[in-house]
Structure formats: C-alpha cells, structure tokens
Amino acid sequence: MAVAFDAATLSADFTVSPLTVSHTPVGTPSLVAIWVWVGSETLPTLGTITYGGVTATLVDSLDIDAVDVIYLYQAVGPASGVQTLTVPWTGGTTVTVAATAETVTGSDTSTTPFQARSKNAAVATSTLLTPVSATGE
C-alpha cells in the first residue's frame, strides 16, 4: 500500500491556551503529522500535545529566530473520525500559536514514520525529515 495524503486542517491563531481544533480524516489514517508554530516576545513552554486524546511525540523543532519556533509532532495509528488537536502552553509574553494536523494513509505504523536528520546550523536550514514507508513502497 502506498502512502497517500488524507486530510489537513489549519487552526486560526490562538492567543489563549489551549489551542483546540477539530480535524476530520477522510479515510482510516495511519499517521497524523502536527505542525505547531509559536510566535511571541518570550517563548512559552508547550504542554502535552494531543490528537484525539492520544499524546503526540515530538519529532523535531526549528528555531526561526529568537521569538518564532516551528515544532513537528507525530502520532502513529490515530483513530478515524473527528478528532480534537489540543496544544496547551504556559508562560511566554504576547504568545500566538497556530497548528496544522495532516493525516496520511498507508504509512508504516511499525516504525517511527518521521525521523529527524541533523540540522546544518552553518546555513540555518530547516530540519530535513524523511517519511518512512513499509518495505517496497
């Protein structure tokens, strides 16, 4: 089975914790990738990110500058149907948070689908991610 895009939901900007947004997969998802953007004068501490009540795992983050960070989380084998993405935080000054949930079907659920690669600080590149699929895909 090939990996295929299923659905995506983008939240509005939230300034009060927690950010919550409903996401509805079309099919039976094998993975949800959750992108969280945080912008603030002083960065907050993110709490436990959940999708459908299940804790998502932090894959990596990218510091855009001193006050903007993008985080990538994942949850393997999420439930189908309408699910709630929750992104809580504490602290920080003038905090704005936005998130995207993207589901796919057909990814390998026996391994960690996204794996962070080393960052190249010298050229300030973003984190390179490699989606992992099952043998022969």
Side-chain angles (χ1 to χ4, degrees):
M1 175 184 281
V3 176
F5 171 79
D6 179 64
T9 301
L10 174 63
S11 77
D13 290 349
F14 278 68
T15 56
V16 177
S17 180
L19 173 154
T20 57
V21 64
S22 292
H23 174 72
T24 306
V26 176
T28 302
S30 54
L31 169 76
V32 60
I34 302 164
W35 299 91
V36 178
W37 168 79
V38 178
S40 64
E41 291 178 10
T42 58
L43 290 172
T45 300
L46 291 179
T48 301
I49 310 302
T50 61
Y51 178 82
V54 175
T55 299
T57 303
L58 177 65
V59 175
D60 212 344
S61 64
L62 173 64
D63 297 325
I64 304 298
D65 52 38
V67 295
D68 292 285
V69 180
I70 296 173
Y71 300 90
L72 173 61
Y73 288 82
Q74 67 184 1
V76 177
S80 57
V82 178
Q83 303 297 321
T84 301
L85 168 61
T86 304
V87 181
W89 68 89
T90 57
T93 307
T94 316
V95 177
T96 303
V97 176
T100 300
E102 299 179 23
T103 46
V104 298
T105 59
S107 64
D108 184 1
T109 58
S110 65
T111 63
T112 304
F114 281 113
Q115 299 171 1
R117 293 186 180 181
S118 60
K119 297 177 187 176
N120 183 343
V123 292
T125 61
S126 64
T127 301
L128 300 174
L129 301 170
T130 304
V132 178
S133 60
T135 303
E137 292 184 348

